[in-house]
Amino acid sequence: MQSRTHCCKSKARGIGNGGDNQEDVHHVKRTPSSPQGAPKKRSAFVDLTNTKKVQNDGCVKNGKAVKKTPTSKVVIKANNNLKVSKQPSSEEQCKKSEEQLEQLEQLEQSISTDTGASLPKEQPEVQEQKIPEEFDVDKEQVGDCLMSPEYAKDIFDYLRNREEKFVLTDYMHTQPDLNGSMRGILIDWMVEVQENFELNHETLYLAVKLADHYLSVTEVRRASLQLIGSTAMLIAAKFEERCPPGVDDFLYICDDAYKRQEFLVMERKILQALNFDINIPVPYRFLRRYAKVAHASMETLTLARYVCELSLLELELVPERASRLASACLLLALITNHLGGWTAALQYHSGYTLGELGPLVRSLYAMLASPADENLRAVENKYSHKVFFEVAKLPLVHIETLEETLSEPGFTLG
């Protein structure tokens, strides 16, 4: 990216608060009706469901129905002569089916006699996951189709499995013209863009992931770094927002440093680098889920969000899995607000033990304790606002309290 001054110059007018109460506000309400009015009924649907059924008497053997075939079929020749090709009669078909059933029963009996065991029964393809009652945080929302309580645990388990596909490493050594400081400035600017456009927080997290994945496989020049960040925000907004900003909006916020065609070309490059699979699990989604399991207040959740968003600037935290990072951020917020440690319910839903989260929690604590970079203040300024309960101004928990909580014995889940 060209410079921090250039990034600041590119701010859009009218910075929004970007608060949690604005995350689900949609600026444009679309009408559900189509331009042509009400949809037309499909007359073909009536035809399909009322076709004439041919009823034939089936033959039954040992409670098993055998479908009869037509006794004859008509074949039309080119000379319009009708020729009837006879098929086996229904009695012959029934007799043949009876013989086949008897042979199958004899084969089953011989196998069970030789092995001393019966044939295994067919198992259902999908087995319902049984959640212990004390860990079922979705039971109060049963019947709410918007929350999908029956599938909530399965959904987040699926997202955890998808994380393995998007694991990153420290890629900066493969970029001869970039360094960690430049990446930090880019992410700090992307936070400002998220505020200016009042985008969802999921959009910001996904955009950072897209930029990191592209930089991990493509060698770039520093002059195109802002273009990469802007295009990643554009793609993420298309994926997450109902009314995403367009290319012209990003041209404006970049102060016309790039041309429209450059955005379109970069968009294709980023999508091709990820094989068009941009459904990347982000820590923000896990954080909201785990906060619900912990029955955390909005203040505690906002503090965890602040720690999680601040971690986006840290290059050494790029390889961390989203679910583990979200767990560590929530645990640090719980300890800071003196709300206890890692409970058995949190361990069950997250899949992480207290011992597995300890090293990462200590790294996040060191990040908060280190002096803030004067060039990277967007996240701190954002969470110093009253909308976010001024959580950035909260004092750090004492290190002894932190270590005491992290040294507690873990849980053993059956």
Side-chain angles (χ1 to χ4, degrees):
M1 192 168 56
Q2 295 165 353
S3 66
R4 174 62 180 169
T5 304
H6 177 71
C7 293
C8 294
K9 181 182 177 182
S10 61
K11 287 186 180 179
R13 299 175 182 174
I15 298 178
N17 294 330
D20 185 78
N21 57 348
Q22 297 180 356
E23 290 178 5
D24 299 325
V25 176
H26 311 306
H27 303 289
V28 178
K29 185 174 181 181
R30 299 178 181 175
T31 174
S33 61
S34 63
Q36 293 80 13
K40 296 181 179 180
K41 294 182 180 180
R42 293 180 58 191
S43 58
F45 186 76
V46 180
D47 298 336
L48 288 173
T49 55
N50 291 278
T51 54
K52 184 177 180 181
K53 296 181 180 180
V54 180
Q55 298 180 353
N56 295 324
D57 295 332
C59 54
V60 181
K61 171 64 177 177
N62 296 331
K64 300 180 181 180
V66 181
K67 186 177 180 181
K68 289 177 61 177
T69 59
T71 56
S72 63
K73 69 177 182 179
V74 178
V75 181
I76 301 177
K77 292 291 186 177
N79 57 4
N80 295 328
N81 293 330
L82 299 182
K83 179 180 180 181
V84 178
S85 58
K86 294 185 177 181
Q87 300 292 338
S89 64
S90 59
E91 295 180 357
E92 294 176 351
Q93 287 279 23
C94 290
K95 185 176 180 180
K96 185 176 180 181
S97 300
E98 291 174 1
E99 294 176 355
Q100 292 177 349
L101 289 174
E102 290 177 357
Q103 293 176 0
L104 180 59
E105 291 175 356
Q106 293 176 359
L107 178 61
E108 292 178 354
Q109 292 177 358
S110 62
I111 294 177
S112 60
T113 303
D114 297 338
T115 60
S118 59
L119 291 175
K121 296 182 179 180
E122 183 179 358
Q123 297 295 329
E125 295 181 359
V126 179
Q127 295 183 354
E128 182 180 358
Q129 184 178 6
K130 184 64 177 178
I131 301 177
E133 185 175 355
E134 64 272 20
F135 299 149
D136 191 358
V137 298
D138 303 300
K139 57 184 177 183
E140 298 178 357
Q141 295 174 329
V142 172
D144 187 351
C145 60
L146 298 178
M147 299 302 293
S148 302
E150 299 86 356
Y151 313 113
K153 181 67 165 58
D154 296 326
I155 290 172
F156 282 91
D157 289 343
Y158 165 74
L159 291 177
R160 278 204 61 188
N161 292 332
R162 274 188 65 83
E163 287 182 306
E164 301 300 325
K165 184 178 180 181
F166 300 98
V167 175
L168 286 171
T169 58
D170 185 358
Y171 58 81
M172 198 56 67
H173 64 279
T174 63
Q175 296 288 346
D177 200 37
L178 302 179
N179 54 47
S181 178
M182 295 178 185
R183 178 190 176 274
I185 295 175
L186 173 67
I187 305 303
D188 186 82
W189 178 77
M190 293 171 68
V191 173
E192 294 179 353
V193 173
Q194 183 262 330
E195 283 191 283
N196 293 340
F197 287 144
E198 298 183 2
L199 302 175
N200 296 328
H201 285 83
E202 292 91 338
T203 303
L204 171 64
Y205 282 85
L206 179 58
V208 173
K209 284 285 187 181
L210 294 175
D212 281 329
H213 276 276
Y214 180 74
L215 293 175
S216 66
V217 297
T218 308
E219 183 178 321
V220 300
R221 307 292 298 178
R222 67 181 66 183
S224 61
L225 194 56
Q226 189 179 17
L227 175 62
I228 295 172
S230 304
T231 309
M233 289 289 289
L234 174 65
I235 297 173
K238 290 180 179 181
F239 188 81
E240 296 286 355
E241 306 289 334
R242 291 194 176 183
C243 299
V247 177
D248 293 335
D249 297 312
F250 284 98
L251 289 173
Y252 170 77
I253 206 169
C254 290
D255 199 19
D256 294 321
Y258 307 100
K259 298 180 180 179
R260 182 183 183 88
Q261 186 63 25
E262 291 180 284
F263 266 93
L264 301 180
V265 172
M266 181 57 67
E267 184 178 24
R268 289 195 295 268
K269 289 182 178 180
I270 294 178
L271 292 174
Q272 290 171 353
L274 281 93
N275 294 322
F276 292 85
D277 187 357
I278 60 174
N279 187 18
I280 306 175
V282 295
Y284 190 83
R285 297 191 187 279
F286 290 102
L287 189 56
R288 297 177 68 176
R289 172 67 174 176
Y290 300 156
K292 177 182 178 181
V293 174
H295 303 286
S297 64
M298 184 55 65
E299 291 83 352
T300 302
L301 174 58
T302 305
L303 177 58
R305 289 174 176 174
Y306 167 60
V307 179
C308 194
E309 197 163 322
L310 203 60
S311 69
L312 295 177
L313 302 170
E314 304 297 323
L315 181 62
E316 57 269 18
L317 295 179
V318 168
E320 286 295 340
R321 286 163 173 76
S323 58
R324 185 168 180 260
L325 181 61
S327 301
C329 291
L330 179 62
L331 177 55
L332 183 55
L334 292 173
I335 298 174
T336 302
N337 288 343
H338 307 284
L339 298 176
W342 204 240
T343 64
L346 285 169
Q347 179 176 329
Y348 173 79
H349 284 279
S350 68
Y352 296 106
T353 64
L354 183 62
E356 292 173 330
L357 297 177
L360 183 54
V361 173
R362 293 183 180 93
S363 298
L364 294 173
Y365 183 86
M367 175 191 69
L368 294 174
S370 61
D373 191 332
E374 292 297 327
N375 296 324
L376 308 175
R377 302 298 295 270
V379 179
E380 183 178 350
N381 294 336
K382 174 182 175 181
Y383 284 90
S384 296
H385 198 277
K386 292 182 180 180
V387 174
F388 295 101
F389 307 101
E390 300 180 344
V391 294
K393 300 179 181 179
L394 292 177
L396 277 176
V397 66
H398 199 276
I399 186 63
E400 293 182 358
T401 304
L402 178 70
E403 291 297 337
E404 181 180 350
T405 306
L406 296 179
S407 62
E408 291 179 355
F411 302 95
T412 303
L413 301 179

